[in-house]
Amino acid sequence: MQLRMLTLLMSLIATMSCASSSHSRSEEPEDNLDVAMDKSPLKAVLAKAAEGEAGTPITAQPQAKVSLAAVTNWQAFFKAPPTALETSVLAHKLEHWPDPAGVKELRGKGRAEMAIGRLSAAEVSFRQALRVASEDLETMLDLAALYLRQQKLNEAFALLTQAKEVISSSDSVTQTILIKYRYTLALAFIGRGERDKGHRILSDLIGLDKTFTPAYASLASSYLAIGRAGVAEFVLKRGLDRVQENASLMNLMGVIAQQARQPEAARVWFDKALNVAPNYAPALVNRAVLSAANLEFAAAEEDLLQALKADPQQVDALVALGVVQKRQGNISGAKASFSKAVDSDPDNAYGRYNLAALLADDLKKTNEALRLFHEVLQTPAANSELKELARSYINDLTPLGSRY
């Protein structure tokens, strides 16, 4: 039985790709939720460039060569997860947060709660903000992103539909908000299984700003999720050509190499990503998985602890750490890691499965293990392989008449 848990270690590497989940398709809204980007702000940039420093006209560059980075700051809504210290500071700040009344204060509180994993509290704060200002686009998009994180696609699409109505009736929506809206919509389409729609939006965003690395990463991750590694690699190489050094793109190149059973090449890419960003948690987890596969458990544990220090909410790091701890004979540590993973993300099927396997194999708590294995079968994010492994355990642990 223990081998069944260990076989999952390598499959964790595929979970490091964002926007790669697949869900059942829900009813599609009648209206097209995409919006056209207003390129008019680029005219002001071009006009200013045409004047020159001394007011002497110079030849303006073609619009296609002017990046949206000149008129928008998309990086503002792509912040790294808080470190352990920052999480502690945010938690303390939230304990003494004054009763917020304005939409900005409520939105800020929701963002702080979301950053440290208090998703239910964040939802309450965002909902309160929308009661104060029902058409606040930033809050709508923050809440939609939260729902995507929770895999609540219907709720996310309902908010995106409202946001589209606000955008359509407003003359003062910034390019930054439009980019955030379209990127969130793309991820929602991909999550709902309408990948073509999501891919078109992401490709369009890349066309507008060649440095928009989240779009490259999400597009490549989506192709990886459906087995089109060649297309994913093409997207990532194009992104690296344009952005040069980027940890998320390098990490995904490592995922492709690992899926192609090229561990040496994968490690090179993970090392490159960590040279660019030493605390980039996904690459740390992926490198740890490679080390564990080579029975280098001390190195794997070191990387995983560093990943959790950089991002305490990194559930994949907790699951991988639990597997490594189990292999080293640290059963109590493994149980704590798996339990924390399940508490942090109840929908994480790997954490639930591994905790159940530990209870069954090492702690002989059959009833608890069976309950968790049955929950794995009901978890939307669990793939067919994981469900089959759970059924195998259930069959071994139950009388003949109750087997699958």
Side-chain angles (χ1 to χ4, degrees):
M1 285 187 182
Q2 297 198 17
L3 287 176
R4 283 180 290 197
M5 181 162 70
L6 300 180
T7 58
L8 293 177
L9 183 62
M10 294 310 297
S11 65
L12 269 174
I13 204 163
T15 70
M16 294 291 98
S17 306
C18 61
S20 62
S21 57
S22 59
H23 305 283
S24 59
R25 186 182 177 101
S26 59
E27 185 177 352
E28 182 179 348
E30 293 182 2
D31 296 333
N32 177 15
L33 291 180
D34 197 8
V35 295
M37 294 293 292
D38 179 11
K39 299 181 181 179
S40 58
L42 295 175
K43 297 178 181 178
V45 177
L46 290 170
K48 185 175 181 180
E51 293 176 0
E53 293 184 0
T56 304
I58 60 176
T59 303
Q61 296 294 319
Q63 269 199 20
K65 294 186 178 180
V66 179
S67 169
L68 280 181
V71 291
T72 191
N73 181 25
W74 58 260
Q75 293 91 340
F77 59 87
F78 283 94
K79 297 181 179 179
T83 64
L85 177 60
E86 291 168 341
T87 296
S88 177
V89 170
L90 280 175
H92 181 268
K93 185 176 180 180
L94 284 168
E95 289 177 4
H96 302 86
W97 201 287
D99 292 334
V103 62
K104 290 184 179 180
E105 292 79 9
L106 285 163
R107 190 196 316 128
K109 183 182 180 185
R111 286 174 174 173
E113 291 164 334
M114 187 172 174
I116 63 174
R118 299 180 183 177
L119 303 188
S120 296
E123 180 181 1
V124 171
S125 296
F126 290 143
R127 284 294 182 190
Q128 288 177 340
L130 288 175
R131 282 195 287 272
V132 173
S134 62
E135 295 189 349
D136 185 69
L137 285 171
E138 287 193 61
T139 304
M140 286 183 187
L141 296 178
D142 284 338
L143 185 53
L146 185 151
Y147 283 141
L148 288 179
R149 182 169 166 179
Q150 295 176 313
Q151 300 180 7
K152 296 180 178 179
L153 292 174
N154 290 334
E155 290 87 342
F157 270 104
L159 280 166
L160 290 167
T161 300
Q162 295 177 34
K164 169 68 180 300
E165 293 173 355
V166 174
I167 291 171
S168 299
S169 62
S170 175
D171 296 326
S172 58
V173 180
T174 66
Q175 292 279 49
T176 300
I177 290 294
L178 288 178
I179 289 176
K180 184 174 182 178
Y181 169 81
R182 298 191 73 204
Y183 181 78
T184 306
L185 178 62
L187 297 192
F189 277 136
I190 290 171
R192 197 166 68 176
E194 298 177 76
R195 294 185 185 273
D196 287 346
K197 291 183 179 180
H199 293 176
R200 281 196 297 271
I201 295 173
L202 293 173
S203 297
D204 186 44
L205 290 174
I206 290 171
L208 290 167
D209 185 350
K210 302 295 191 294
T211 69
F212 191 26
T213 52
Y216 289 106
S218 295
L219 187 58
S221 297
S222 180
Y223 280 120
L224 269 175
I226 56 177
R228 300 183 65 182
V231 180
E233 184 175 6
F234 172 82
V235 171
L236 292 170
K237 286 183 176 179
R238 180 63 60 87
L240 287 169
D241 286 343
R242 292 167 171 172
V243 185
Q244 300 301 319
E245 296 185 338
N246 180 270
S248 64
L249 303 187
M250 291 174 173
N251 175 63
L252 286 169
M253 287 292 292
V255 171
I256 291 174
Q258 177 59 27
Q259 290 186 354
R261 299 185 179 182
Q262 299 172 352
E264 296 82 5
R267 186 178 291 273
V268 169
W269 280 112
F270 297 145
D271 287 344
K272 285 182 178 181
L274 292 169
N275 285 335
V276 173
N279 292 319
Y280 186 60
L284 285 166
V285 175
N286 285 336
R287 190 171 69 177
V289 169
L290 289 181
S291 296
N294 290 329
L295 306 183
E296 300 168 356
F297 296 118
E301 186 170 10
E302 181 179 352
D303 273 348
L304 292 168
L305 291 173
Q306 184 179 344
L308 288 168
K309 184 177 181 181
D311 181 4
Q313 304 301 318
Q314 178 58 260
V315 176
D316 294 309
L318 286 167
V319 177
L321 178 62
V323 173
V324 168
Q325 289 169 325
K326 176 179 169 61
R327 288 288 283 139
Q328 293 177 305
N330 183 2
I331 303 303
S332 61
K335 183 176 184 293
S337 296
F338 294 143
S339 298
K340 188 174 181 180
V342 172
D343 290 341
S344 299
D345 182 7
D347 291 325
N348 186 282
Y350 285 101
R352 195 171 296 278
Y353 173 90
N354 279 289
L355 177 58
L358 185 78
L359 291 170
D361 293 340
D362 298 278
L363 300 176
K364 308 306 178 185
K365 295 185 177 181
T366 301
N367 291 336
E368 290 182 49
L370 281 171
R371 174 180 58 81
L372 288 167
F373 283 128
H374 281 289
E375 289 174 357
V376 169
L377 298 181
Q378 304 302 318
T379 302
N383 59 30
S384 58
E385 176 190 3
L386 192 63
K387 289 183 178 181
E388 186 58 36
L389 288 168
R391 289 190 187 96
S392 176
Y393 260 107
I394 292 171
N395 288 337
D396 287 343
L397 296 173
T398 55
L400 288 175
S402 303
R403 293 185 176 183
Y404 279 86

